[in-house]
Amino acid sequence: MSMATRQGLRACMFIGSAREKRLGDRVSKFMISQMKKTGWTVDVVDAAEADLPVLKKPIFFYDKSEEVPEVLGSILDKIKIADAFVIVTCEYNHCLPPGLLNLIDHFAPSAYSKRPSGIVCYSPGMFGGIRAAMQARCLLSEINTVSIPNIFAIPKVNNCLDSDGNPTDDHMISGAQKHLVELEWYARALKVARDADNDKQ
């Protein structure tokens, strides 16, 4: 498929780790670079930058008389215009990072509905964060953004990517592209279905 036919798809990338000295920056830089090479536009929602408080009031709890916090409104705008989601997650104590859950739970399942999601997991160990990815699958299906079959797991991530997100071997590039080709297929198929739904309204 040519670059021209890939243009027009937009992804919202969630960076789940908010921990100091996180390795997620390497992964997100690498994935953004790979996605842009194949024509994706990428909006980033970063748990560390958003710095949301522990969930007390999700965005759908605000009524019309209340002003929605700017950070929540900005994130919702990115979610609404996305054709797909990319979840970049580490693994804390064999679980999803709390920053990722806190981000996602500030918004209703309807905000994510009928778009696919891709899971990119990583760890400095040999399992590549796959246990967190299995939990992410359950979460994503419940908020109406079913994850694609391919999971891009990156074990020993500190050896695979340098601090600028540059890969140290070709396996990283081929793994990312396999994931993105599948994500693109689902994103385009669901975009056609959403457009058909809109035509009926």
Side-chain angles (χ1 to χ4, degrees):
M1 183 177 289
S2 69
M3 178 75 75
T5 57
R6 281 192 169 114
Q7 291 175 353
L9 287 178
R10 194 176 199 106
C12 180
M13 176 182 288
F14 285 84
I15 304 174
S17 174
R19 191 161 63 180
E20 292 183 0
K21 299 180 181 179
R22 65 184 183 180
L23 294 168
D25 288 330
R26 302 185 185 199
V27 179
S28 61
K29 288 175 183 177
F30 169 70
M31 289 303 299
I32 290 169
S33 173
Q34 293 300 307
M35 294 178 79
K36 287 184 175 180
K37 286 178 181 178
T38 51
W40 287 86
T41 298
V42 185
D43 295 312
V44 175
V45 177
D46 185 343
E49 289 184 6
D51 197 22
L52 297 177
V54 173
L55 179 61
K56 292 183 180 179
K57 190 171 184 177
I59 195 168
F60 48 88
F61 276 20
Y62 289 83
D63 60 39
K64 293 181 180 180
S65 66
E66 296 179 285
E67 184 175 353
V68 174
E70 183 177 353
V71 63
L72 291 183
S74 175
I75 294 171
L76 182 60
D77 288 342
K78 293 177 181 180
I79 292 172
K80 282 182 173 180
I81 62 175
D83 296 303
F85 303 101
V86 176
I87 310 300
V88 176
T89 184
C90 55
E91 183 179 293
Y92 293 167
N93 296 330
H94 302 174
C95 295
L96 288 168
L100 176 61
L101 292 168
N102 196 48
L103 267 180
I104 290 174
D105 287 347
H106 271 85
F107 306 93
S110 59
Y112 305 96
S113 186
K114 300 177 182 177
R115 273 80 54 80
S117 53
I119 300 170
V120 181
C121 56
Y122 64 92
S123 76
M126 63 185 297
F127 295 111
I130 198 67
R131 287 167 292 203
M134 293 299 99
Q135 295 167 33
R137 273 208 194 281
C138 297
L139 169 64
L140 294 168
S141 67
E142 291 300 326
I143 61 170
N144 301 329
T145 169
V146 178
S147 62
I148 63 172
N150 180 274
I151 293 174
F152 183 29
I154 309 172
K156 300 183 179 179
V157 64
N158 47 316
N159 296 328
C160 295
L161 297 167
D162 67 20
S163 59
D164 294 319
N166 298 310
T168 58
D169 61 61
D170 292 338
H171 294 295
M172 285 295 298
I173 296 174
S174 61
Q177 288 307 310
K178 181 179 179 181
H179 184 78
L180 292 174
V181 165
E182 191 168 278
L183 183 64
E184 179 182 343
W185 191 95
Y186 280 87
R188 291 199 180 280
L190 286 174
K191 186 177 177 65
V192 170
R194 290 197 311 277
D195 289 345
D197 283 348
N198 291 334
D199 290 341
K200 294 175 184 178
Q201 295 176 2

